[in-house]
Amino acid sequence: MNKIVSIEEAVTHIRDGMTVMVGGFLGCGSPHKLIDALVEKGVKDLTLICNDTAFPDAGVGKMVVNKQFKKIITSHIGTNPETGRQMNEKETEVNLVPQGSLAEKIRAGGAGLGGILTPTGVGTEVEEGKEKMVLDGKTYLLELPLKADVALIFGHKVDTKGNILYQGAERNFNPLMATAADIVIVEAEQTVAVGELDPNEVMTPGIFVNYIVGGDK
Amino acid sequence: MNKIVSIEEAVTHIRDGMTVMVGGFLGCGSPHKLIDALVEKGVKDLTLICNDTAFPDAGVGKMVVNKQFKKIITSHIGTNPETGRQMNEKETEVNLVPQGSLAEKIRAGGAGLGGILTPTGVGTEVEEGKEKMVLDGKTYLLELPLKADVALIFGHKVDTKGNILYQGAERNFNPLMATAADIVIVEAEQTVAVGELDPNEVMTPGIFVNYIVGGDK
Amino acid sequence: MDKNEVKIVIAKRVSKEFKDGDVVNLGIGLPTMVANYLSPDIDVILQSENGFVGLGPAAEAGQEKKYIVNAGGQPVTIKSGGAFFDSAMSFTIIRGGHVDATVLGALQVDQEGNLANWKIPGKMVPGMGGAMDLVVGAKKVIVAMEHTAKGAPKILKKCSLPLTAVQQVDLIITEMGVMEITPQGIVLKEIHPEFTVDDIKAATEADIIVAEDLKPMEI
Amino acid sequence: MDKNEVKIVIAKRVSKEFKDGDVVNLGIGLPTMVANYLSPDIDVILQSENGFVGLGPAAEAGQEKKYIVNAGGQPVTIKSGGAFFDSAMSFTIIRGGHVDATVLGALQVDQEGNLANWKIPGKMVPGMGGAMDLVVGAKKVIVAMEHTAKGAPKILKKCSLPLTAVQQVDLIITEMGVMEITPQGIVLKEIHPEFTVDDIKAATEADIIVAEDLKPMEI
């Protein structure tokens, strides 16, 4: 199975109306080349799941400026005023989720869980519309799983089977999203041959990865 | 903060009646020296949380034979007939939990979650006494978190701050248990100086670890 | 067929169920033998629920490593391109639907696809280990077992032992044939040339629907 | 005190709250300054919710690495003995009670320990980021902020803005003093020598209980 594809072929898997997860935290650890290709392609009406909307001129924020999302599920939009503007003018639906709950919702999607109970958000606007449970006298919110049609992630070293090593703080949401989408596309900083990664140091097993782009440096 | 202690000092933290998590899968990745010291010490009426009860002459199975547990929470006892005997003769309470649910229960304990919803065990004896929820037409069981007074884990390379690398299949439940106990004691195969482990390859951050034993080879 | 031939027939037939790139979990015992018969033309990735993918053959004598063992505790190997992980990730893979097929033995299977393989009340309670998660989470559940136990049927109208999971079994492969669980019941798809349909019906408590295109068992 | 002195006073005082081995998360902005005043005699481990422990000082010019940034996106360093991890582990640490203290700014705090710092309806909605988890999960929640906003009190009887969390704040540290949230209300424990108790009461909407052993602010 050859998983290595061109960036042009990779983006054919993202079509109008799909739900897309994008790794990264303020752009650190985001698949920037894939994002640029999607801006170029102009695919639209997407639902975005991402930690934040980065900056107007960087990361997934470029796609916000290009008005490619109909809905955004995220923990933070403060660094991208365009997201706030689209939200306030009701051009884009923005669903704000506490960062830890967002991580668990994505993980639950990947792990086949029906949901998780978290104390985060109890007594705040976050609890609106969510089931509450009291266990041992403590109140929890039921947070439901998130899945996507496609996850776009970034890896530091990727072997041709799709095994991934992340570097530093670029890891963030990437390993979680790799488990929670029907199609997983990893943008590799560096592609290496099978056998070059120690099985102990692999952070995302290649079984999760469908396509690999880049890494030809 | 010096975390390195003698094995004699380490086992003073395990006292009669406590709940103890022990890493390992059929003894692979178990802290064998700590187990031997506990057999020697004879501490009793413990509640054990462990994937399995290993073998009568190996791993945590030695403590079963030594009758040190009043209750055992585990996924498998088939390799240790003494556990089955104690269960059938009602000497020891044995609570059987599906392995994936056991992993999630421990993780939930460490992560501050109130519980997780899993499809595993629906329609079986496992669902007895558990809350059921139907979401999107699928039935889930609510599995509650597990925590312990002490976790006894095994690491391949441990630095003096408690950062841990596991080797091969020895990882199993160790990283999960490291997050879910008041006191975490790691038995090191090898102890190294701070700085010898790449921050990218650390599997359990040292902040979880209270005491380090062994590793003086 | 002697006991050993029975096992080989079953393991060989199970090995035909997979395609290139499949992630497969093989249970302890007979299912483990399936690995010996996988076609070299396809890359089937074996998952070991104690914490890795890329499970390779048993370790050669003298080459055993205490930190590379399978879910039964035997010394094995890991293939190039494999990866180790913790039990939470192992069951993320299993429960999350990332395993294409799981192959397990059974004490009983029934025509609704129910499975019992973890407990005989009052006699034997090994525990479910990872079986309940595997059966619920894998995309395809294959029961690989001898057709009968000491002559008594194991394929029943309704399991009498405590269940491992409800309505999750897709396929039953025995030395007598290949049976698919469908909403209509158990459909016999392939038959081993040594047996007749009547032999199978006699050895099975559940109703058997014979496929219109019943084929000889592919081994 | 000018603006800069105010910040230094607050950051210095916050830095006294920690002991050897504490795991601490410092929010973006003023709280980040606390790192500059930590005693070299103790090892305080800083957690960065984007995925590591062992956060070190800002990266020197020319030494920035795109893969080592803090939760505000600035290039930083990681200390020897630190560790990187994914966001699930980061919030296992945070939500699971493994952070000894979190230091955050606030738009409003009230005498019940409620906190508002993520939304001004109709005006500014940056989102909560990791703040809701930090405030619920950390063993000790320290609000570090200027006592007033353009002269208007920020320490209120009851928050009017959307809450970040209910009854989680333990301590408020401003340039005027140190206040503890207790079941009886807000207790003024330390006061900056430049201010009187009446100054503080005038700048605070919430009721202020003066500690019997009121001390000068330790800086």
Side-chain angles (χ1 to χ4, degrees):
Chain A
M1 285 214 311
N2 177 28
K3 296 184 177 183
I4 298 181
V5 297
S6 67
I7 203 153
E8 293 74 23
E9 186 183 333
V11 296
T12 62
H13 296 281
I14 298 103
R15 296 187 300 275
D16 291 356
M18 277 188 165
T19 296
V20 179
M21 291 180 178
V22 181
F25 192 115
L26 294 179
C28 173
S30 287
H32 293 284
K33 289 179 191 167
L34 282 168
I35 289 169
D36 286 344
L38 287 171
V39 168
E40 177 84 6
K41 187 184 179 187
V43 58
K44 62 184 191 301
D45 294 330
L46 300 172
T47 293
L48 172 70
I49 300 171
C50 188
N51 177 63
D52 53 73
T53 54
F55 306 95
D57 60 350
V60 82
K62 291 182 184 175
M63 293 177 71
V64 174
V65 171
N66 204 30
K67 300 185 184 176
Q68 295 181 267
F69 302 117
K70 69 163 189 278
K71 182 174 175 180
I72 297 174
I73 300 169
T74 188
S75 82
H76 199 266
I77 62 172
T79 53
N80 191 336
E82 173 63 10
T83 315
R85 190 198 63 73
Q86 290 180 18
M87 176 177 70
N88 289 337
E89 300 188 10
K90 299 201 191 315
E91 289 174 23
T92 305
E93 182 185 348
V94 176
N95 188 341
L96 288 165
V97 182
Q99 200 168 110
S101 301
L102 187 63
E104 286 297 320
K105 285 163 78 75
I106 295 167
R107 182 179 179 280
L113 302 176
I116 58 101
L117 297 176
T118 178
T120 303
V122 170
T124 76
E125 287 183 6
V126 167
E127 75 175 37
E128 281 169 23
K130 286 177 189 152
E131 192 148 350
K132 281 204 266 190
M133 292 184 81
V134 180
L135 297 166
D136 262 345
K138 190 165 175 180
T139 306
Y140 297 92
L141 301 185
L142 173 60
E143 290 281 5
L144 301 176
L146 282 174
K147 296 197 76 167
D149 296 304
V150 182
L152 304 171
I153 66 175
F154 181 75
H156 172 56
K157 275 193 192 176
V158 183
D159 76 16
T160 53
K161 276 200 158 198
N163 289 302
I164 306 175
L165 250 66
Y166 306 98
Q167 185 172 33
E170 289 174 349
R171 199 178 320 181
N172 56 68
F173 281 77
N174 285 303
L176 306 173
M177 290 175 172
T179 69
D182 292 339
I183 295 174
V184 175
I185 305 173
V186 59
E187 176 178 321
E189 187 157 43
Q190 194 184 338
T191 307
V192 300
V194 170
E196 282 196 40
L197 304 182
D198 179 342
N200 283 295
E201 60 180 16
V202 170
M203 297 169 188
T204 289
I207 60 166
F208 289 111
V209 173
N210 300 91
Y211 302 108
I212 305 163
V213 299
D216 20 56
K217 80 170 185 189
Chain B
M1 284 212 316
N2 178 28
K3 295 184 177 184
I4 298 182
V5 297
S6 68
I7 203 150
E8 293 74 22
E9 187 184 331
V11 296
T12 61
H13 296 283
I14 298 104
R15 296 186 301 273
D16 291 356
M18 278 187 165
T19 296
V20 180
M21 291 180 178
V22 182
F25 193 115
L26 294 177
C28 172
S30 287
H32 294 285
K33 289 179 189 167
L34 281 168
I35 290 168
D36 286 345
L38 287 171
V39 168
E40 177 85 6
K41 188 184 178 188
V43 58
K44 61 183 191 303
D45 294 330
L46 300 173
T47 293
L48 172 69
I49 301 170
C50 188
N51 177 61
D52 54 73
T53 55
F55 306 95
D57 60 350
V60 82
K62 291 181 182 175
M63 292 177 71
V64 174
V65 171
N66 205 29
K67 301 186 183 176
Q68 294 181 270
F69 302 117
K70 69 164 190 277
K71 182 174 176 180
I72 296 174
I73 300 169
T74 188
S75 81
H76 199 264
I77 62 172
T79 53
N80 192 336
E82 174 63 10
T83 315
R85 191 199 62 73
Q86 290 180 18
M87 177 177 69
N88 289 336
E89 301 187 10
K90 299 200 191 315
E91 290 174 24
T92 305
E93 183 186 348
V94 176
N95 188 341
L96 289 165
V97 182
Q99 199 168 110
S101 301
L102 187 63
E104 287 297 320
K105 285 163 78 76
I106 295 166
R107 182 180 180 277
L113 302 176
I116 58 100
L117 298 176
T118 178
T120 303
V122 170
T124 76
E125 287 183 7
V126 167
E127 75 175 37
E128 282 169 22
K130 285 174 189 153
E131 192 149 349
K132 282 204 266 190
M133 291 185 81
V134 179
L135 296 166
D136 262 345
K138 190 166 175 180
T139 307
Y140 297 93
L141 301 185
L142 173 60
E143 291 280 5
L144 300 176
L146 282 174
K147 296 197 75 168
D149 296 304
V150 182
L152 303 171
I153 65 173
F154 181 74
H156 173 55
K157 275 192 192 176
V158 183
D159 76 16
T160 53
K161 276 200 159 196
N163 290 303
I164 306 175
L165 250 66
Y166 305 98
Q167 185 172 33
E170 289 174 350
R171 199 178 319 182
N172 55 69
F173 281 77
N174 285 303
L176 306 173
M177 291 175 172
T179 69
D182 292 339
I183 296 174
V184 175
I185 305 174
V186 59
E187 177 179 320
E189 188 158 42
Q190 195 184 337
T191 308
V192 300
V194 170
E196 284 196 39
L197 303 183
D198 178 341
N200 282 296
E201 61 181 17
V202 170
M203 298 169 189
T204 289
I207 60 165
F208 289 110
V209 173
N210 300 90
Y211 303 108
I212 305 164
V213 300
D216 20 54
K217 77 170 184 190
Chain C
M1 286 189 272
D2 65 20
K3 276 271 181 194
N4 195 44
E5 284 167 332
V6 162
K7 286 181 185 171
I8 291 172
V9 163
I10 297 169
K12 275 191 173 172
R13 179 57 190 82
V14 171
S15 73
K16 311 288 186 218
E17 286 296 313
F18 313 126
K19 59 179 197 308
D20 193 36
D22 273 359
V23 178
V24 175
N25 184 293
L26 301 175
I28 295 167
L30 195 160
T32 301
M33 290 175 58
V34 171
N36 302 333
Y37 302 103
L38 292 169
S39 161
D41 300 337
I42 59 170
D43 182 20
V44 171
I45 301 159
L46 299 181
Q47 200 257 10
S48 197
E49 70 261 32
N50 56 321
F52 57 112
V53 284
L55 174 67
E60 285 177 39
Q63 297 294 310
E64 301 93 344
K65 305 223 184 304
K66 73 178 175 66
Y67 53 86
I68 311 181
V69 297
N70 65 16
Q74 282 97 28
V76 290
T77 52
I78 185 167
K79 291 185 176 176
S80 180
F84 291 107
F85 34 74
D86 68 22
S87 297
M89 174 53 98
S90 188
F91 284 85
T92 284
I93 292 171
I94 288 169
R95 196 192 313 97
H98 310 287
V99 168
D100 293 292
T102 185
V103 184
L104 314 89
L107 296 166
Q108 299 178 336
V109 200
D110 72 25
Q111 59 199 32
E112 293 173 16
N114 299 317
L115 168 69
N117 71 352
W118 73 282
K119 182 174 182 179
I120 305 178
K123 273 181 74 177
M124 185 201 71
V125 190
M128 65 292 281
M132 285 192 179
D133 297 281
L134 278 161
V135 172
V136 165
K139 287 186 199 154
K140 187 170 186 175
V141 176
I142 302 172
V143 168
M145 63 175 192
E146 292 183 54
H147 204 97
T148 56
K150 296 173 189 166
K154 298 173 74 176
I155 305 173
L156 308 176
K157 286 183 193 298
K158 190 89 188 169
C159 290
S160 58
L161 292 173
L163 296 183
T164 304
V166 175
Q167 296 182 358
Q168 296 290 345
V169 177
D170 297 293
L171 207 63
I172 305 171
I173 297 179
T174 74
E175 75 282 14
M176 299 184 94
V178 178
M179 288 141 281
E180 196 178 315
I181 312 282
T182 73
Q184 288 71 44
I186 296 180
V187 177
L188 179 67
K189 306 274 286 186
E190 296 178 22
I191 186 166
H192 191 283
E194 281 190 22
F195 300 97
T196 65
V197 168
D198 284 343
D199 289 338
I200 292 181
K201 285 186 173 174
T204 309
E205 188 205 275
D207 296 324
I208 291 285
I209 303 166
V210 180
E212 286 183 23
D213 61 341
L214 179 66
K215 295 191 180 94
M217 199 166 164
E218 183 195 347
I219 304 170
Chain D
M1 287 189 273
D2 65 21
K3 275 271 181 193
N4 196 42
E5 283 166 333
V6 162
K7 286 181 184 171
I8 291 172
V9 163
I10 297 169
K12 274 191 173 172
R13 179 57 190 83
V14 171
S15 74
K16 311 289 186 217
E17 286 296 312
F18 313 126
K19 60 178 195 309
D20 193 35
D22 273 0
V23 177
V24 175
N25 184 293
L26 301 176
I28 294 166
L30 194 161
T32 301
M33 290 174 58
V34 171
N36 302 334
Y37 303 104
L38 292 169
S39 161
D41 299 337
I42 60 170
D43 182 19
V44 171
I45 300 158
L46 299 180
Q47 200 256 9
S48 197
E49 70 261 33
N50 57 322
F52 57 112
V53 284
L55 174 67
E60 285 177 40
Q63 297 295 308
E64 301 93 344
K65 306 226 184 302
K66 73 179 175 65
Y67 53 85
I68 311 180
V69 297
N70 65 15
Q74 281 99 26
V76 290
T77 52
I78 185 168
K79 291 185 177 177
S80 179
F84 291 108
F85 34 72
D86 68 22
S87 297
M89 174 54 97
S90 187
F91 284 85
T92 284
I93 293 171
I94 288 169
R95 195 192 314 96
H98 310 288
V99 168
D100 294 292
T102 186
V103 184
L104 314 88
L107 296 166
Q108 300 177 334
V109 200
D110 71 26
Q111 59 198 29
E112 293 173 15
N114 299 317
L115 168 69
N117 71 351
W118 73 282
K119 183 174 180 179
I120 304 177
K123 272 182 75 177
M124 185 200 71
V125 190
M128 66 292 282
M132 285 193 179
D133 297 281
L134 278 161
V135 171
V136 165
K139 287 186 198 154
K140 188 170 185 175
V141 176
I142 302 172
V143 168
M145 62 176 193
E146 292 182 53
H147 204 96
T148 55
K150 297 174 190 164
K154 297 172 74 177
I155 305 172
L156 308 176
K157 286 182 193 297
K158 191 91 189 167
C159 290
S160 58
L161 292 172
L163 295 184
T164 304
V166 174
Q167 295 181 1
Q168 297 289 346
V169 176
D170 297 293
L171 207 64
I172 305 170
I173 297 179
T174 74
E175 76 282 14
M176 301 184 93
V178 178
M179 288 141 279
E180 196 178 316
I181 312 283
T182 74
Q184 288 71 45
I186 296 180
V187 178
L188 180 68
K189 307 274 287 185
E190 297 178 23
I191 185 167
H192 191 284
E194 281 189 21
F195 301 97
T196 65
V197 168
D198 284 343
D199 290 337
I200 293 181
K201 286 185 173 173
T204 309
E205 186 204 275
D207 296 324
I208 291 284
I209 303 166
V210 179
E212 286 183 23
D213 60 340
L214 179 66
K215 296 191 180 92
M217 200 167 164
E218 184 195 346
I219 304 169

